[in-house]
Amino acid sequence: MVAVVIILSLNVISTIISVTEDGDGSSSSLLRNRNVEAPHQEVSLARRRRDEKMKYHSFLREKNMRRRAETLKLLDETEDIWFRRSPEQHAQLIEMHETRKVYANNTQQFKDIERLSICGRETKAGTPKDLTLFHHFQNQDNSCPGTSSNNLLLISGRGAYGRTGNNIIEFLHALQFARDNDATLGIILSSKTWVFMVILEMWMSKQDDDWEEHFEEAFCVKIFHSENEVKGYNVIRVPTKELYLYRSSSPFEHYIGHQAQHLQTLFRHYNNGEGRMISGIPVRDMCSGLNAVFGKYYKDTIYSVIHQRALEGGGAHALYRMSKKTGCSPTGALNMEPDYIKSILAPLGMLHYPIVLIRDGEDPSVLERLQADPDISKMLRVIGNKSSWTGGDITLAVMSNVFIGNPASSFSAIIAKSRLALGFGHNYLYRAKDQSGKWSTVCGDTCIYDSQIIGAIA
C-alpha cells in the first residue's frame, strides 16, 4: 500500500514537472516566449526611432533647401545696383547702362567675354550686370595709353603710401593717370618696387617665362629692367601720395568702366598658391580665407561679411567728414551696432546664415556687442589671427552674398569696388536713420567711385 502511494506520488510529481516544462499555456512556455519577443520588440523600437530620426533630418534638409532657394531668389531680386544719390544723375546712368545691356545681349563681342568664377564661386562678370559695360561700349579708342605720345609715367622703389587698400588704389590711380594724360605706365622690374610687392602677393604671380609679357598686356603697361632703358622718353615721376590723391578728369561713367576693367583683370588672375613673387617668395592662396571659415563647403555657402575698421582711432573724424558729403550716419559703419547689422540682414533672410567679421582688432567692443546679441551671435564667425591675411580677407569679403563695410576705409572701398566690378550688389556702406528711426541706404553703390563724394579713395 505504501509502495503504491509512493509510485502514484512520483507519477503526479512527474506529470506536474512534465506539464510545467512542456505543457501548453504553462508559465515556463510563456517566459520563454517573452524572452524571444523582447529582443524583437527592442529591435522594432530602435528601428522606429531611427526611421523617425531620418524623417526629421530629411524634413530639416528640405526646409533648409527651401529657405536657401528663397534667400537666393530674394538676393537676386533685390540686387539692382543703385548708381547715384542724385535722382537726375541716377536716371542718366541707368538709361546709359540699360542701353548698353540691350546692346550686350545682342552683341556677340560681349557674349564671348569669358564668365569668371573665383574660388569656385560664380561672379556676374560677363553678364548685363557687368559695370565694364561702361568701358566696352563707349565708341572710343580702347588702345593702350601712350601709344601716340612719348610720355612715360615711371614707377620704381618702395615708396608706397599707407596700407594695402591705399596701395591698390594708388596702382589703379596710376593706370588712370596714364590714360588721362596719354602716357605709358612704366614699372621698374625689382623685388623692391612697391607695385610688384603689393599686386603679386595676391594676383598675377610669376609662374612662367612669359609672365612679363602677360602682365604688360593685361594692364597696358611696360616693364623696364633698369632706368637706363627709359632714356628717350619724356619721364613723368609722381610721388605715390599724389597718386593716391589723384582725381581723374574723365567722365564718371568712363572712369567706372576703366576701374572696373582693371579690377576684373586682377581677379581673373588671382593667386591660388602657385607661383612666386619677384623676390622668389612663394605666394599664398587667395581662397584660404574661405577655406578657413567654411572648409570644403565654401563654394556653396551663403554668408555675409562685416568689415569693421577703427582706422587707428581716426575713424570717427573720417566718417564724420564722409557723412557731410553723403548723408550717411557718422557712427553707424564705425560702431557696427547689432541693430545696424540686423537692419540690413533681416529683410534679406540672411540672419539664418553665417556672418563673418573681419576686423582690425582696435575696438574689441564691436565684437563683444555682436557676440551678446541673440540673433547675431549664433551665426557669427570670426577669422583667427593665423588664418587672417590681406588676400584671404579680400576674397572672403568680395565673394560674400552681402557685404557691410566702412565707407571711410580704403580696404572697404577696394572690396566694394571689386564687388561692383564683378557684378555684385548688396554692398552696404552709406546708411542713415530716417525720422522714424529706420535705417536705409542714402548714397548709391557707385558713390564708392565718386571722388566728389568720398575723395581720394574713389
Side-chain angles (χ1 to χ4, degrees), residues 282-296:
V283 298
R284 299 178 68 175
D285 185 355
M286 289 281 277
C287 305
S288 62
L290 279 159
N291 191 42
V293 177
F294 302 117
K296 63 180 180 180

Side-chain angles (χ1 to χ4, degrees), residues 327-340:
C328 71
S329 165
T331 58
L334 189 65
N335 297 334
M336 296 291 183
E337 296 280 356
D339 74 305
Y340 180 87

Side-chain angles (χ1 to χ4, degrees), residues 268-289:
R268 287 189 183 279
H269 302 90
Y270 70 91
N271 291 347
N272 61 4
E274 298 180 3
R276 296 178 178 274
M277 297 178 64
I278 301 295
S279 63
I281 297 173
V283 298
R284 299 178 68 175
D285 185 355
M286 289 281 277
C287 305
S288 62

